[in-house]
Amino acid sequence: MRSNRLLAGSRRAIPLVLAILLAGTAPLTAQESRHFDLLVSGGRVLDGTGNPWIRADIGVRDGRIAALGNLADATADRVIDATGRYISPGFIDIHSHADDGSGRGGRTIRNDAIHRKSAPNVVSQGVTTIVVNQDGRSPWPVADQRATLERQGVGPNVMLMVGHGTVRGMVMDDDFRRPSTEDETAQMAALVRQALEEGAVGLSAGLEYTPGRWSTTDEVAALAAELAPYDGVYISHERAEGADPMWYLPSQHEGRPPTLQDAVMETIEIGRRTGVRVVASHIKAKGVAYWGSSGSAIQLIQRARDEGVRVWADQYPYPTSGTDGNTVLVPRWALGDPDADGPGDRRSPADMLETRLQDPETAARIRTDIVHEIGRRGGTDRVVIFDHSIAEYVGRNLQDVADLRGEDPVETAIALQLEGDRTRPGGGRMRGFSMSEIDVENYAAQPWVATASDGGIGWPGDGPVHPRFYGTFPRKIRHYALTVGALSLESAIRAQTSLPARIMGLADRGEIREGNWADLVVFDLETIADQATFVEPHQHATGIDHVLVNGEFVVEDGEILMTLPGKVIASRKGPR
Ligand SMILES: [Zn+2]
């Protein structure tokens, strides 16, 4: 009892002593403390926690939120009148392809060109922090990536992952189509440790891709365990996002392929074994045969959370995926030329298909795979032709074109290849809408599902990109919260601010709170909306007046400034 009272007494004394000892400089006078670099006054503050808005002024000083409340008597170098506007924390994108080491033809934030490194399509959505190196891919070493970003500058804040596929490729080289040995896993673990020491904040996996596809749960869990001393995060593009993985074809693979449920259970298992935070990334339920299965995936995650597993998910708010944009209904194996020496010496996909269709047994296997692919891409009425030499077909779905031709949609898929651009797989450009809105809305409604773009750096002239590059965060608000009502406005804001901040262990971002970094979005609830479409994706969102990163404008009065106030937010050892 006595020592408790002593402790309580000394605890009371600490703040004053600390204030004097730690201030470094003299405390601000009353007048100085009412002067700010920037004052955002009169707005409705959605603080990011999910609370309804409050009316409050925000005083920004030295990049941070210095005061929050009624600041009517304060002065500032710059005042924004936010009357009638909403203010939220800057949005945090925990699955970004703004960089991943693949180069992407220079379409990366790690590019000295101002229209790349300032990330206009990212910050214009209100995004102030991105987590890059996803799907198991990262440049090596992470130290070089970090140094480059710090030297050249970046628009938003950036957090770096280390890619499982990258370290797996480094250790196993070309011999990766098998589980790793114990010794190889140990070598990968050492590389993961190195990247964490260099500033990586977590491990990303791409278990549907090469070379991650051939890893075991034991291998991935062993690497995820390395995250614990750094309080790092495991973010997984899982082995399957529907009834089967994207590599699976009924004519080519025997046995039961992993399903969405298998994949979610694996992510949970990795979280359970290692104790680290794990994320089932861009969660979905792909393919007609799997619509509605968000219910069981949600149940699995919720039950694991109830048991204390630190598992989360993220989603992009669209019913169509990145690979849906490259839908080719005829299986690739039927289009490739096995005798080609190189790209210049190969028969066209249409020539190859014609040859193979002449063999009845091969033709039957091709048709089996086409039926499978149509279902996986959302069905005949949800595969849309965006580009084809027969103009009449453009803008129509596969079923409409089949009806027009009076034939089975499988024959139409073949005809599109043979009668279209014969050198292009598929004969034209098609997009499947492989997800059901029921599942997209169901996931959106879960309190542990963050919003993430899965998008990269886009600029007019880059060609067709998924509209999520430009519209993800405003769309979650406009479409899924305000129009559909899958979740409340407050929940939508929380899903892209404090929720991802907690997932990433960011203690001083994601909420509008005194002392936090001033990453802020000022927007008009009447007009905030995504504008990017599948036909014209390079369209910035509307309704976003101002975006601040570390207290500096990246969007001001609706204009993208191409400024570079972002920081690389690096890992540090110890719990957060
Ligand atoms: Zn992915």
Side-chain angles (χ1 to χ4, degrees):
M1 280 313 283
R2 199 177 150 189
S3 61
N4 274 351
R5 216 172 323 159
L6 272 175
L7 268 176
S10 59
R11 203 181 290 141
R12 263 197 300 277
I14 282 170
L16 227 175
V17 173
L18 275 185
I20 294 163
L21 288 181
L22 300 182
T25 53
L28 295 175
T29 66
Q31 201 176 5
E32 283 167 335
S33 71
R34 303 305 276 181
H35 186 84
F36 300 101
D37 301 332
L38 172 74
L39 192 60
V40 185
S41 74
R44 299 172 185 181
V45 174
L46 286 158
D47 68 4
T49 63
N51 284 334
W53 62 265
I54 54 166
R55 170 112 49 229
D57 307 317
I58 300 171
V60 175
R61 191 188 297 123
D62 299 330
R64 293 196 184 247
I65 298 168
L68 179 68
N70 184 342
L71 304 174
D73 57 346
T75 55
D77 297 346
R78 169 84 201 274
V79 178
I80 294 175
D81 179 6
T83 307
R85 296 292 198 257
Y86 287 77
I87 306 157
S88 104
F91 305 144
I92 298 170
D93 185 353
I94 67 170
H95 191 120
S96 166
H97 285 283
D99 196 14
D100 59 19
S102 64
R104 293 181 174 259
R107 296 167 192 179
T108 149
I109 203 163
R110 194 157 40 100
N111 178 336
D112 210 23
I114 190 68
H115 69 291
R116 300 297 185 188
K117 62 185 178 181
S118 69
N121 65 301
V122 173
V123 297
S124 63
Q125 298 180 51
V127 172
T128 55
T129 299
I130 56 177
V131 184
V132 301
N133 301 347
Q134 297 294 342
D135 290 353
R137 287 188 287 258
S138 59
W140 192 268
V142 165
D144 284 0
Q145 181 188 27
R146 179 181 176 182
T148 302
L149 291 171
E150 285 173 343
R151 186 176 60 244
Q152 61 157 57
V154 280
N157 299 308
V158 184
M159 301 176 87
L160 311 174
M161 304 288 280
V162 55
H164 165 242
T166 297
V167 298
R168 189 167 212 269
M170 287 169 71
V171 170
M172 299 179 77
D173 207 11
D174 284 340
D175 182 23
F176 54 76
R177 286 181 178 79
R178 58 175 176 83
S180 59
T181 64
E182 228 170 276
D183 179 56
E184 286 166 335
T185 306
Q187 289 177 50
M188 292 179 214
L191 294 172
V192 169
R193 273 197 302 281
Q194 180 190 332
L196 292 165
E197 277 298 318
E198 292 172 359
V201 296
L203 175 71
S204 80
L207 302 183
E208 203 175 9
Y209 295 127
T210 299
R213 189 182 137 186
W214 288 273
S215 63
T216 61
T217 304
D218 286 344
E219 173 187 316
V220 182
L223 304 189
E226 297 294 335
L227 301 170
Y230 301 82
D231 200 24
V233 186
Y234 170 71
I235 299 180
S236 182
H237 174 128
E238 299 175 306
R239 290 186 199 272
E241 303 189 304
D244 44 53
M246 56 175 78
W247 48 260
Y248 174 83
L249 285 172
S251 83
Q252 304 290 299
H253 302 99
E254 306 218 318
R256 186 179 79 82
T259 66
L260 166 70
Q261 276 69 20
D262 294 326
V264 167
M265 283 192 279
E266 180 183 46
T267 300
I268 291 168
E269 174 64 17
I270 289 166
R272 184 180 283 127
R273 276 198 219 172
T274 61
V276 306
R277 294 189 299 277
V278 299
V279 180
S281 210
H282 45 56
I283 196 163
K284 53 178 80 76
K286 199 156 72 180
V288 175
Y290 240 56
W291 286 347
S293 64
S294 57
S296 58
I298 287 167
Q299 206 175 352
L300 287 168
I301 294 175
Q302 187 60 55
R303 197 175 293 171
R305 292 191 55 81
D306 294 345
E307 289 168 21
V309 180
R310 302 160 85 195
V311 55
W312 316 83
D314 68 63
Q315 72 167 167
Y316 50 82
Y318 295 85
T320 172
S321 74
T323 53
D324 279 347
N326 298 317
T327 291
V328 176
L329 298 173
V330 180
R332 301 264 179 180
W333 64 260
L335 302 176
D337 185 349
D339 300 326
D341 285 332
D345 169 47
R346 67 196 302 260
R347 283 166 289 172
S348 75
D351 286 347
M352 290 311 305
L353 179 60
E354 260 167 354
T355 304
R356 291 196 168 110
L357 285 171
Q358 281 160 21
D359 174 49
E361 198 264 333
T362 308
R365 288 197 292 130
I366 290 170
R367 289 191 168 88
T368 298
D369 283 350
I370 292 175
V371 169
H372 181 82
E373 195 62 14
I374 290 172
R376 183 153 63 181
R377 294 299 177 190
T380 54
D381 60 344
R382 283 172 69 87
V383 172
V384 179
I385 295 129
F386 275 81
D387 192 11
H388 199 271
S389 53
I390 303 174
E392 202 185 354
Y393 298 167
V394 175
R396 293 180 193 259
N397 65 46
L398 185 67
Q399 187 64 55
D400 287 343
V401 177
D403 291 348
L404 214 62
R405 297 171 58 96
E407 66 189 7
D408 187 283
V410 173
E411 302 312 315
T412 304
I414 292 169
L416 287 169
Q417 175 70 73
L418 299 182
E419 297 170 23
D421 179 350
R422 292 176 62 87
T423 65
R424 182 191 176 115
R429 197 161 71 79
M430 279 172 265
R431 172 173 285 280
F433 290 78
S434 66
M435 292 168 245
S436 161
E437 288 290 0
I438 292 171
D439 293 307
V440 179
E441 291 171 24
N442 206 0
Y443 285 126
Q446 305 310 313
W448 36 261
V449 175
T451 307
S453 76
D454 199 15
I457 299 298
W459 185 257
D462 284 352
V465 298
H466 193 295
R468 68 192 183 200
F469 277 50
Y470 286 81
T472 294
F473 296 85
R475 180 173 170 81
K476 187 77 167 265
I477 295 170
R478 168 56 55 200
H479 184 72
Y480 287 98
L482 301 176
T483 305
V484 171
L487 72 175
S488 67
L489 170 66
E490 294 83 354
S491 300
I493 295 293
R494 176 183 161 276
Q496 45 209 47
T497 55
S498 72
L499 177 63
R502 294 299 89 79
I503 294 172
M504 295 309 301
L506 285 166
D508 52 6
R509 300 182 194 270
E511 279 179 45
I512 296 183
R513 190 154 37 85
E514 279 178 27
N516 272 15
W517 286 101
D519 295 343
L520 298 170
V521 187
V522 180
F523 65 92
D524 181 349
L525 195 64
E526 296 298 315
T527 55
I528 189 170
D530 55 307
Q531 299 297 331
T533 66
F534 294 98
V535 180
E536 288 189 70
H538 298 282
Q539 309 283 331
H540 294 294
T542 50
I544 297 191
D545 298 326
H546 309 285
V547 182
L548 292 118
V549 173
N550 302 317
E552 290 183 42
F553 286 94
V554 288
V555 176
E556 187 175 15
D557 295 318
E559 192 191 329
I560 302 163
L561 301 183
M562 300 212 195
T563 44
L564 305 168
K567 300 173 194 286
V568 177
I569 304 171
S571 64
R572 57 184 175 80
K573 224 161 175 167
R576 264 172 278 177

